[in-house]
Amino acid sequence: MRIAITLACEDCKRRNYQTNKSKRNNPDRITLRKYCKWCRSQTSHKETR
């Protein structure tokens, strides 16, 4: 029940990371703090569709 998702930086809106998540444990969109190489800092990355 795991699906592939893409994470996009909330500041510059670039899609930086791809990962997967469990639909059963996290039915809503997830937000993670990841490093953005364009912003050159750790920013919030939100799940995109």
Side-chain angles (χ1 to χ4, degrees):
M1 191 73 184
R2 298 186 74 80
I3 60 167
I5 61 169
T6 305
L7 298 174
C9 178
E10 290 187 347
D11 294 341
C12 66
K13 307 295 188 217
R14 294 192 186 206
R15 296 178 181 204
N16 298 327
Y17 293 97
Q18 289 184 343
T19 187
N20 51 35
K21 74 167 188 173
S22 172
K23 267 294 235 199
R24 184 179 300 151
N25 295 337
N26 299 312
D28 300 329
R29 292 188 184 188
I30 61 173
T31 302
L32 300 173
R33 286 193 47 90
K34 304 284 274 179
Y35 181 78
C36 178
K37 63 182 178 180
W38 287 279
C39 297
R40 294 188 177 141
S41 64
Q42 278 192 347
T43 59
S44 294
H45 283 68
K46 194 170 188 177
E47 176 185 344
T48 59
R49 301 271 163 131

